[in-house]
Amino acid sequence: MRLAMVGLGKMGSNMARRLRRGGIEVVGYDHSLDMVVSLVAEEGMVGASSVEDAVSKLQSPRVVWLMLPSGEPTEKQIRELAPLLAKGDIVIDGGNSNYKDSQRRGNWLAEQGIGFMDAGTSGGIWGLDNGYCLMVGATPEVAKIMEPVLKALAPAADRGWAHVGPVGSGHFTKMIHNGIEYGMMQAMAEGLELLRGKQEFSLDLAEITELWRHSSVVRSWLLDLTAEALKSDQALDNVAPYVADSGEGRWTVVEAVEQGVAAPVLTLALQMRFASQNETGYGYRLLSMMRNAFGGHAVKQTGGGK
Amino acid sequence: MRLAMVGLGKMGSNMARRLRRGGIEVVGYDHSLDMVVSLVAEEGMVGASSVEDAVSKLQSPRVVWLMLPSGEPTEKQIRELAPLLAKGDIVIDGGNSNYKDSQRRGNWLAEQGIGFMDAGTSGGIWGLDNGYCLMVGATPEVAKIMEPVLKALAPAADRGWAHVGPVGSGHFTKMIHNGIEYGMMQAMAEGLELLRGKQEFSLDLAEITELWRHSSVVRSWLLDLTAEALKSDQALDNVAPYVADSGEGRWTVVEAVEQGVAAPVLTLALQMRFASQNETGYGYRLLSMMRNAFGGHAVKQTGGGK
Amino acid sequence: MRLAMVGLGKMGSNMARRLRRGGIEVVGYDHSLDMVVSLVAEEGMVGASSVEDAVSKLQSPRVVWLMLPSGEPTEKQIRELAPLLAKGDIVIDGGNSNYKDSQRRGNWLAEQGIGFMDAGTSGGIWGLDNGYCLMVGATPEVAKIMEPVLKALAPAADRGWAHVGPVGSGHFTKMIHNGIEYGMMQAMAEGLELLRGKQEFSLDLAEITELWRHSSVVRSWLLDLTAEALKSDQALDNVAPYVADSGEGRWTVVEAVEQGVAAPVLTLALQMRFASQNETGYGYRLLSMMRNAFGGHAVKQTGGGK
Amino acid sequence: MRLAMVGLGKMGSNMARRLRRGGIEVVGYDHSLDMVVSLVAEEGMVGASSVEDAVSKLQSPRVVWLMLPSGEPTEKQIRELAPLLAKGDIVIDGGNSNYKDSQRRGNWLAEQGIGFMDAGTSGGIWGLDNGYCLMVGATPEVAKIMEPVLKALAPAADRGWAHVGPVGSGHFTKMIHNGIEYGMMQAMAEGLELLRGKQEFSLDLAEITELWRHSSVVRSWLLDLTAEALKSDQALDNVAPYVADSGEGRWTVVEAVEQGVAAPVLTLALQMRFASQNETGYGYRLLSMMRNAFGGHAVKQTGGGK
C-alpha cells in the first residue's frame, strides 16, 4: 500500500515514520524541504517537491492523507488537490477539522467521484511509539480500502482504530474526545490546586499523583503524564498561568448548545481557559465598580490598562 | 423608643442617623470617639463612652443593636454584653453574621432570658436616604417590641421590613439575598463584557445600560447604579480586575451543598470572584504543563512567580 | 408618519396599538384576518389583505416593520418583500433575529438600495402600557427617519430607545440583554429554591420577595413580577418543572465561545434550562452505571425509558 | 503482624481477605456474624464476637483498623474503642471520614497516648485483586509501624501507598481524589451524551469507548470500566437517571470555598448529581412562572407534584 502524506509537521512526520515502519510506502510532501529530506534519508520515504509531484507518484486509486492545520490551510489544500485527482481516488483529512466542514468537503468531493475520510487522530507526540487512536468517518468502501493504513498507524492491527460512521463522524467523535479531555484536565488541575492550597499539610504533589497511578479510581494516562512532569518541577514558576485552547473544545460547547444538552463541565473547562487568557479582566473591573456603587466598598486601584 | 447602637461604622452611623430622624432615641457607642462626637452634635444622639455606659443609659427592656463586623468582633461583643443585661432585654445583630452563629447565640442568650433578633440589613450606603431593607428573625414577642425601630429604619412603615421567621431566619434570608445579588452582578458583568468585546460595533455601554433602565426586562437597581457609574468612566482603567467577596456569598454555596440543591449560577458568581483574586494561577500552570506533556504544545514562559 | 406592521401576534398587535395611540398611522397585516379586523375596529388601523396590499397603501419612503418569528418566517418574508420595495424604502426587523442574519439581510437589502433597521425589542406583554425598550441598529440616515416611530413605541420620547450602532448591533444588544435576563432569572430561582428548601424556617416566599422590592440590592422588575406571581401561588404544583429557551440565550453562549470570553453564569443559566428539558437523563444513567462499575454502588432501577 | 478489622462490609471484608493473603493475621469483627464466620472459614481469619473480644485477641501495640460508614458510626466506635486501648496502641480509620473529623479524633486519641492513622482507601470492589490505593496521614512513628499492613493492601510493596503527611492529610487527599473522580466521570458522561445525541451518526458508544482505550488522551480506568459496561447495554433503559453522591464530593466543594479557589468543574460535577436527585424541580417551576409573568409565555402544565 502506498499513500501520499501532505504536511509533515509534528504530527504528520511522526505518522509518516510509523507508516514506514509498518511497511506502508509513503510519498511525503511539506513546504519545509528539510523535513522531506530527513524523512527520505531516515525512513525511506519517497520525497515529493510539490503536491502535484506527490500525486504523480501514486497509483490508482490514489490516496492523499492531509495533516494540516484546520481551517483555511486544509480548505485550500483540498480545493487545490481535487483537480489533480480522479474518480475513485481518496482524500483523508487527519487533522482537527470541524466535522461540519468535513461533511461539506466530503459531499463536494463525492460529487466529483472522489472518496473522503475524516480521521480524528489522538495520541499526540506519543503516537509514534504507542500508535495513534484513529476515529474514522467514511463510506464502507473507502474505510475498507484504508484498513491497512489504519492498522499500521494504530497501536495494534485489531485495536485503537474504528470506522465509527459516515463522513464527518470521525471528526465529530474526535471533537467530543477532546471535549472530554478538557474536562478531565480541568478536574485534575482543580484538585491538584486544592491539594497545594492546603498549606498546613505541605503535600508533595509528585508523590500523590504517582501514588494515584496505582489502583486509584482516577488513574489515567493524563495522570501518568502529570505525575511524570511533577517529578521534576511542582512549583511551575516558569510556566505562565495561560492555557491555550484549540477549536475542538469550542466546537464541543457549541454542539451542546445546538443539541440543547447541558454540558457544564465541558463548558467550564473551556471557559476557565478563556479566563486564563483574559488580559484585561474587564468583567472583574465592572464587578468591583458595582460593589463600590451600591456598598461603598473600596475599589482596588490599578495603575491602569494592565 | 430608645436603643443603644454599638458600632458606628459606615452602616451603623447611617442607621443611627435614620433612627434619629425617625424619632427614635439612640445611645451610640463606637471605639472611634470622633464618630460618637459628631453624631451627638449632628443628630442629637446620646453619646456613650463604653458599652457599659451605653447600657446604663437605657431603660428596661434594654435594647442593644450591634452593627459590627461578623465573626469574632460580633461574637466577642455578645459574650461581653450578656452579663450587663437582664431578663427581658434584647440584643439585635444587624450585621452580616452566619445564620448558624445567630441561632447558637440566640439560644445562648435565651438560656439567660435575653431576647435576640437577627436583622439582615440591605441597602448599603443608600439606606440613609432610601431606608433599609430589613429581614428579621426573632420570636413574635421580640419582633413586636422592635416594630417601631424597624419602621423607622425601613423605607416606609408598611414596607421594606418583615419578621420572616424564628431566630436565624433573618440572617438566612439576607444570606440568600446576597447570593442572588452575586448572581445578578455576575450576569450583568458577563453581558457587558461581551458587549464591549464586540469591537466592530463600538458599543457605548453607558448609553446601553441607561437605555435598558427603561422598560427592559433586566431593569433593576443594580443596573441603575451601573449605568450611573459608566457615565463617567467605561474604560475602568483605574479599577483593578479584582473582586472581593464577603462571607454571605460563600455561605450560600455551602448551604446549597448542605441542602443538596444545584445552584450553579450562585456558585460560579462566587468562584469567578475567587478567580479574580488568584494571584498565582497554579491550576492554569498545571494545565499548560499537561498540554505540553501529552501534545508537545509549547508552554508560555514566565519569568517566575507572577 | 405611516408604516406597515407585518405580523400582529402577541408582540406585533400590541406594538400596533401603541403606535396608533401615539399618533402613527399603521397599515396592518397578519395571516389571521381576525386580528386585522379587530385592530381596524378598535384602533383605527388600516387593514391590509396581503403584504402587497400593505405596501401599496404606503407612500415613499415606504416603511415595513416585521414582527415575525425569527429564522425561516422572517427570512422568507424579507425575500418576498424586497421586490415590492424601491430604493429608499426601509425594512425593520423588530423580532428576535440572530444579529448575523440581520447583518447579512441588511447587506442584501443595501445592495438594492433598501434601508434596514434591526430593532431589538424588550418589554413583553407589558410594553403596550409601559412602552418598549428598543435597541436599534441602522445607518444614521435610516435611524433618523425612524425616530418618530421609536419615540412612540418607547416609554417616553427621550428614553427607552437608542440607536446603538450599525446594522446588526440592535439585535446583538438585544441578544446580550436576553443573556443577562437568563442569568438574573436563574440567580433568583436558585436563591428562592434555597429559601424554600430550608424547611425549618417555613419561609413565606411571597412575603420575602415583596420585602426585597423595597430598598434591597436585588430589587428589579423581575423581582416585582415574581413577588406578584408568588402572592397567588407559591407551591407551583401546577407548573411543570420545564423551562423553555429561545434563540437568544443560545446565541449569547456561542458568542462567548467565539469571543473567547468566560461567561459561566450566562452559560449555566441556559444549560439548566436544557437540564429541565431533558427527558431521558442519559448522562445521569451513565454516571449511575459508572458508579456501579467501579464501586459496586447499587443502581436505582427504573421501569425503563422514563 | 496482627491487627483487628472492625467492619466487614463490602470494603472491609475484601481488605481482610487481601491482608490474610498477604500473610497478615486478622482478628475480624462485624455486627453480622455470618460474614465473620465465612471469613474465618475461608481465609483463616480469627473471629471475634465483639470489639472487646477483638481487642483482647491482640498484642501490644494493638492495632484496630475501622472500616465503617463515616459520620456517627465511626465517631461512636472510636469513642467506645478508646477506653479499651492503652498508650502506644493504634486506631486506623480506613473509611471515608471528613478530614477535619480525623484531625479532631487524632488529637483526642493523642491526648490518651493512642496513635491514629487516617487511611484514605481507593480501589472499590476491584481492590481485592488489584490492591488498594492508600493515602495515609499519621505521625512518622505510626506510619512506620503500619508499613507491613499497607504493603499487603497496596497493589505492590513499593507502590500504591504513601504516607502523605500528618493526621488528617490522608483523608484530605482521598477527598480531593474523589472530587477529581466526580469531575472525570461527569466529563465522560457529558461527552457520551453528546455522542449519543448526534442521531444522524448512529454512533456505537461501546465501540467508541473501547476504541478510546487504546492510545487516546482520555484513556483511563474509568473509561475501561465504562467501555466494559456499555458492551452489554448502552441504552441503559433500566438504570434510573439518578446519581447518588457521598460526602467527599460535597466536602471538596466546601474546601474550595474555604480556600477561596475556583473549582467550577468539581462543583458542577457535584451539582449535576444534585439536579439528578431533585424530584420537585421547584427552581424550574419558578423560572417557568417568571417567563409567563413577563412575556406571557405559556407555562407547561403538570398534574401537580411530579
Side-chain angles (χ1 to χ4, degrees):
Chain A
M1 176 107 199
R2 167 176 276 215
L3 59 68
M5 177 72 68
V6 173
L8 299 169
K10 201 161 50 181
M11 287 293 285
S13 61
N14 277 345
M15 291 171 78
R17 283 191 181 92
R18 189 166 174 93
L19 285 170
R20 287 300 300 131
R21 296 173 195 181
I24 306 287
E25 293 175 45
V26 178
V27 182
Y29 169 72
D30 192 87
H31 58 77
S32 152
L33 186 62
D34 286 355
M35 182 53 83
V36 176
V37 168
S38 79
L39 284 168
V40 168
E42 295 163 17
E43 306 284 348
M45 186 184 79
V46 177
S49 60
S50 67
V51 174
E52 290 81 349
D53 184 35
V55 170
S56 74
K57 288 172 171 160
L58 300 173
Q59 291 122 336
S60 181
R62 293 172 292 189
V63 173
V64 183
W65 188 300
L66 306 180
M67 213 62 209
L68 298 169
S70 67
E72 198 46 33
T74 296
E75 181 73 21
K76 190 158 171 285
Q77 187 58 75
I78 291 178
R79 295 283 150 185
E80 290 173 8
L81 181 60
L84 308 176
L85 301 179
K87 214 170 152 168
D89 290 345
I90 294 173
V91 175
I92 298 159
D93 178 4
N96 282 329
S97 296
N98 187 310
Y99 79 95
K100 293 174 186 171
D101 287 331
S102 297
Q103 288 182 303
R104 179 176 49 75
R105 291 166 187 159
N107 287 337
W108 182 75
L109 290 167
E111 288 165 11
Q112 305 166 60
I114 303 171
F116 179 78
M117 183 172 96
D118 46 301
T121 308
S122 182
I125 53 178
W126 302 79
L128 173 57
D129 292 333
N130 299 350
Y132 297 90
C133 181
L134 295 155
M135 302 149 240
V136 166
T139 61
E141 297 71 30
V142 165
K144 186 75 198 161
I145 295 170
M146 297 309 303
E147 268 196 23
V149 172
L150 297 171
K151 286 176 177 172
L153 287 170
D158 64 345
R159 60 174 182 275
W161 68 275
H163 174 215
V164 299
V167 166
S169 65
H171 279 148
F172 182 84
T173 302
K174 175 61 171 18
M175 174 186 86
I176 299 296
H177 167 277
N178 281 31
I180 294 174
E181 171 195 310
Y182 276 45
M184 289 173 66
M185 288 173 71
Q186 179 70 22
M188 213 169 282
E190 291 178 9
L192 297 182
E193 186 166 18
L194 291 173
L195 282 181
R196 188 172 171 90
K198 194 68 180 176
Q199 292 169 353
E200 68 179 284
F201 287 149
S202 299
L203 298 166
D204 179 337
L205 268 59
E207 179 186 49
I208 289 174
T209 47
E210 174 60 33
L211 164 62
W212 284 347
R213 294 182 60 214
H214 307 286
S215 283
S216 91
V217 174
V218 301
R219 63 191 191 262
S220 55
W221 189 56
L222 280 167
L223 181 65
D224 295 344
L225 298 174
T226 302
E228 187 60 33
L230 288 172
K231 260 169 208 150
S232 54
D233 175 23
Q234 61 185 281
L236 301 178
D237 282 340
N238 297 318
V239 180
Y242 178 98
V243 196
D245 77 284
S246 58
E248 286 148 317
R250 297 187 179 209
W251 302 330
T252 300
V253 172
V254 173
E255 176 71 24
V257 170
E258 287 176 0
Q259 285 195 22
V261 166
V265 157
L266 306 192
T267 304
L268 265 300
L270 175 70
Q271 294 198 344
M272 292 311 281
R273 294 192 179 192
F274 291 165
S276 84
Q277 298 164 13
N278 191 324
E279 292 182 359
T280 59
Y282 189 69
Y284 297 144
R285 294 174 197 256
L286 281 165
L287 288 166
S288 182
M289 173 272 277
M290 284 183 213
R291 292 185 82 238
N292 174 260
F294 71 78
H297 302 290
V299 163
K300 199 170 162 180
Q301 299 285 321
T302 180
K306 192 193 169 177
Chain B
M1 177 107 198
R2 167 178 275 218
L3 59 69
M5 176 72 67
V6 173
L8 299 170
K10 200 161 50 182
M11 287 294 286
S13 60
N14 277 345
M15 291 171 79
R17 283 192 181 92
R18 189 166 173 93
L19 285 170
R20 286 299 300 129
R21 297 173 195 181
I24 307 287
E25 294 176 43
V26 178
V27 181
Y29 169 73
D30 192 87
H31 59 75
S32 152
L33 186 61
D34 286 355
M35 181 54 82
V36 175
V37 168
S38 78
L39 284 168
V40 167
E42 295 163 17
E43 306 283 350
M45 186 183 81
V46 177
S49 60
S50 68
V51 174
E52 290 82 348
D53 184 35
V55 170
S56 75
K57 288 173 171 161
L58 300 173
Q59 291 123 334
S60 183
R62 291 172 295 191
V63 173
V64 183
W65 188 299
L66 305 180
M67 213 62 208
L68 298 168
S70 67
E72 199 44 35
T74 296
E75 182 72 20
K76 189 159 172 284
Q77 187 58 73
I78 291 179
R79 293 284 149 185
E80 290 174 10
L81 182 60
L84 307 176
L85 300 180
K87 214 170 154 170
D89 290 346
I90 295 172
V91 176
I92 297 160
D93 179 3
N96 282 327
S97 296
N98 188 310
Y99 78 94
K100 294 174 185 170
D101 288 329
S102 297
Q103 289 181 304
R104 179 177 49 74
R105 291 167 187 157
N107 287 336
W108 183 74
L109 289 168
E111 288 165 11
Q112 305 165 61
I114 302 171
F116 179 78
M117 182 171 96
D118 46 302
T121 307
S122 182
I125 52 177
W126 301 80
L128 173 57
D129 292 332
N130 298 351
Y132 296 91
C133 181
L134 295 155
M135 301 150 242
V136 165
T139 60
E141 296 72 31
V142 166
K144 186 76 198 160
I145 294 171
M146 295 310 302
E147 267 196 25
V149 172
L150 297 171
K151 287 176 176 172
L153 286 170
D158 63 346
R159 61 174 182 274
W161 67 275
H163 173 216
V164 298
V167 165
S169 65
H171 279 147
F172 182 85
T173 302
K174 175 61 170 20
M175 174 185 86
I176 299 296
H177 166 278
N178 281 30
I180 295 174
E181 171 194 309
Y182 275 45
M184 289 173 66
M185 287 173 71
Q186 179 70 22
M188 214 170 282
E190 291 178 9
L192 296 182
E193 186 166 18
L194 291 172
L195 282 182
R196 188 172 172 88
K198 193 69 179 176
Q199 292 168 351
E200 68 180 283
F201 288 149
S202 299
L203 298 166
D204 179 338
L205 268 60
E207 179 186 49
I208 289 173
T209 47
E210 173 60 33
L211 164 62
W212 284 346
R213 295 182 59 214
H214 308 286
S215 284
S216 91
V217 174
V218 301
R219 62 192 192 258
S220 55
W221 190 55
L222 280 166
L223 181 65
D224 295 344
L225 298 173
T226 302
E228 187 59 34
L230 288 172
K231 258 166 211 155
S232 54
D233 175 23
Q234 64 183 281
L236 301 177
D237 283 340
N238 296 318
V239 180
Y242 178 98
V243 196
D245 76 284
S246 58
E248 286 148 319
R250 297 186 180 211
W251 301 331
T252 300
V253 172
V254 173
E255 176 70 25
V257 170
E258 287 176 359
Q259 286 194 21
V261 166
V265 157
L266 306 192
T267 304
L268 263 301
L270 175 70
Q271 294 198 345
M272 291 312 281
R273 293 192 180 192
F274 291 166
S276 84
Q277 298 164 14
N278 191 324
E279 290 182 1
T280 59
Y282 188 70
Y284 297 144
R285 293 173 198 257
L286 281 165
L287 288 166
S288 182
M289 174 274 275
M290 284 183 212
R291 291 185 83 238
N292 175 260
F294 71 79
H297 302 290
V299 162
K300 200 171 163 181
Q301 300 284 321
T302 178
K306 191 190 170 177
Chain C
M1 175 108 198
R2 169 178 274 218
L3 59 68
M5 177 72 66
V6 173
L8 299 169
K10 201 161 51 185
M11 288 292 287
S13 61
N14 277 344
M15 291 171 78
R17 283 191 182 93
R18 189 166 174 93
L19 285 170
R20 287 299 301 130
R21 296 173 194 180
I24 307 287
E25 294 177 44
V26 178
V27 181
Y29 169 72
D30 192 88
H31 59 76
S32 152
L33 187 62
D34 286 355
M35 181 54 84
V36 175
V37 168
S38 79
L39 284 168
V40 168
E42 295 164 16
E43 306 284 349
M45 184 182 81
V46 177
S49 60
S50 68
V51 173
E52 290 81 348
D53 185 35
V55 169
S56 74
K57 288 172 171 159
L58 300 173
Q59 293 124 333
S60 183
R62 292 172 295 190
V63 173
V64 183
W65 188 299
L66 305 180
M67 213 63 208
L68 297 168
S70 67
E72 198 45 34
T74 297
E75 182 73 20
K76 191 160 169 283
Q77 188 57 75
I78 290 178
R79 293 284 149 185
E80 290 173 11
L81 181 60
L84 306 176
L85 300 179
K87 214 171 153 167
D89 290 345
I90 295 173
V91 176
I92 298 159
D93 179 3
N96 282 328
S97 295
N98 187 309
Y99 79 93
K100 293 174 186 170
D101 287 330
S102 297
Q103 289 181 303
R104 179 179 47 76
R105 290 167 188 156
N107 287 336
W108 183 75
L109 290 168
E111 289 164 11
Q112 305 165 61
I114 302 171
F116 179 78
M117 182 171 97
D118 46 302
T121 308
S122 183
I125 53 177
W126 302 80
L128 173 57
D129 291 333
N130 298 350
Y132 297 90
C133 180
L134 295 155
M135 301 149 241
V136 165
T139 60
E141 296 72 30
V142 167
K144 186 75 198 162
I145 295 171
M146 295 309 303
E147 268 196 25
V149 172
L150 297 171
K151 287 177 176 171
L153 286 170
D158 63 345
R159 61 174 182 274
W161 68 274
H163 173 217
V164 299
V167 166
S169 65
H171 279 147
F172 182 85
T173 302
K174 176 61 172 18
M175 175 186 86
I176 299 296
H177 166 277
N178 281 31
I180 295 174
E181 171 194 310
Y182 275 46
M184 289 173 66
M185 287 173 71
Q186 179 69 24
M188 214 170 281
E190 291 179 8
L192 297 181
E193 187 166 17
L194 291 172
L195 282 182
R196 188 172 171 88
K198 193 69 180 175
Q199 293 168 352
E200 69 179 285
F201 288 148
S202 298
L203 298 166
D204 179 338
L205 268 59
E207 180 187 47
I208 289 173
T209 47
E210 173 59 35
L211 164 62
W212 285 346
R213 294 181 61 214
H214 308 286
S215 284
S216 90
V217 174
V218 302
R219 63 191 192 259
S220 55
W221 189 56
L222 280 167
L223 180 65
D224 295 343
L225 298 174
T226 302
E228 187 59 33
L230 288 172
K231 260 167 208 152
S232 54
D233 175 22
Q234 64 183 280
L236 301 177
D237 282 339
N238 296 319
V239 180
Y242 178 97
V243 196
D245 76 283
S246 59
E248 285 147 318
R250 297 186 179 210
W251 301 330
T252 300
V253 172
V254 173
E255 176 69 26
V257 170
E258 288 176 358
Q259 286 194 19
V261 166
V265 157
L266 306 192
T267 304
L268 264 301
L270 175 70
Q271 294 198 344
M272 292 311 280
R273 294 192 179 193
F274 290 165
S276 84
Q277 297 165 14
N278 191 324
E279 290 181 1
T280 59
Y282 188 69
Y284 297 145
R285 294 173 197 256
L286 280 165
L287 289 166
S288 182
M289 174 273 276
M290 284 183 212
R291 291 185 82 239
N292 175 261
F294 70 79
H297 302 290
V299 163
K300 198 170 165 182
Q301 299 285 320
T302 179
K306 193 193 169 180
Chain D
M1 176 108 199
R2 168 177 275 217
L3 59 68
M5 177 72 67
V6 173
L8 299 169
K10 200 160 53 182
M11 287 293 285
S13 61
N14 277 346
M15 291 171 78
R17 283 191 181 93
R18 190 168 174 92
L19 286 170
R20 287 299 300 131
R21 296 173 195 181
I24 306 287
E25 294 177 44
V26 178
V27 182
Y29 170 71
D30 192 87
H31 58 77
S32 152
L33 186 62
D34 285 355
M35 182 54 83
V36 176
V37 168
S38 79
L39 284 168
V40 167
E42 295 164 16
E43 306 284 351
M45 186 184 80
V46 177
S49 61
S50 67
V51 174
E52 289 81 348
D53 185 34
V55 170
S56 74
K57 288 172 171 161
L58 300 172
Q59 292 124 335
S60 182
R62 292 171 294 189
V63 173
V64 183
W65 188 300
L66 305 181
M67 213 62 209
L68 298 168
S70 67
E72 197 46 34
T74 296
E75 181 73 21
K76 190 159 170 286
Q77 188 57 75
I78 291 179
R79 294 282 150 186
E80 291 172 10
L81 182 60
L84 308 175
L85 300 179
K87 213 170 153 170
D89 291 345
I90 295 173
V91 176
I92 298 159
D93 179 2
N96 282 329
S97 295
N98 187 309
Y99 78 94
K100 293 175 186 172
D101 287 330
S102 297
Q103 289 181 304
R104 179 177 49 75
R105 290 167 188 157
N107 287 337
W108 182 74
L109 290 167
E111 289 165 10
Q112 306 165 60
I114 302 171
F116 179 78
M117 182 172 96
D118 47 302
T121 307
S122 183
I125 53 178
W126 302 80
L128 173 57
D129 292 333
N130 298 351
Y132 297 91
C133 181
L134 295 154
M135 302 149 240
V136 166
T139 60
E141 296 72 29
V142 166
K144 186 74 198 161
I145 294 170
M146 296 309 302
E147 269 195 23
V149 172
L150 297 171
K151 287 176 177 172
L153 287 170
D158 65 345
R159 61 174 182 274
W161 67 274
H163 173 216
V164 299
V167 166
S169 65
H171 279 147
F172 182 85
T173 302
K174 176 62 170 22
M175 174 185 86
I176 299 296
H177 167 277
N178 281 31
I180 294 173
E181 171 195 310
Y182 275 45
M184 289 173 67
M185 289 173 71
Q186 179 69 23
M188 214 170 282
E190 290 178 9
L192 297 181
E193 187 166 18
L194 291 172
L195 282 182
R196 189 173 171 88
K198 193 69 179 175
Q199 292 169 353
E200 69 180 285
F201 287 149
S202 299
L203 298 166
D204 179 337
L205 268 59
E207 180 187 48
I208 289 173
T209 47
E210 174 59 33
L211 164 62
W212 284 346
R213 294 182 59 213
H214 309 287
S215 284
S216 91
V217 174
V218 301
R219 63 190 191 261
S220 55
W221 190 56
L222 280 167
L223 181 65
D224 295 345
L225 298 173
T226 302
E228 187 60 32
L230 288 172
K231 260 167 207 150
S232 55
D233 175 22
Q234 62 184 281
L236 302 178
D237 283 340
N238 297 317
V239 180
Y242 177 98
V243 196
D245 76 284
S246 58
E248 286 147 318
R250 297 186 179 210
W251 302 330
T252 300
V253 173
V254 173
E255 176 70 24
V257 170
E258 287 176 0
Q259 285 194 21
V261 167
V265 157
L266 306 191
T267 303
L268 264 300
L270 175 70
Q271 294 198 343
M272 291 311 280
R273 294 192 180 193
F274 292 165
S276 85
Q277 299 164 12
N278 190 324
E279 291 182 1
T280 58
Y282 188 69
Y284 297 144
R285 294 173 197 256
L286 280 165
L287 288 166
S288 182
M289 174 272 276
M290 283 183 212
R291 290 185 83 240
N292 175 260
F294 71 78
H297 301 291
V299 163
K300 200 171 163 180
Q301 299 284 320
T302 180
K306 194 199 169 178

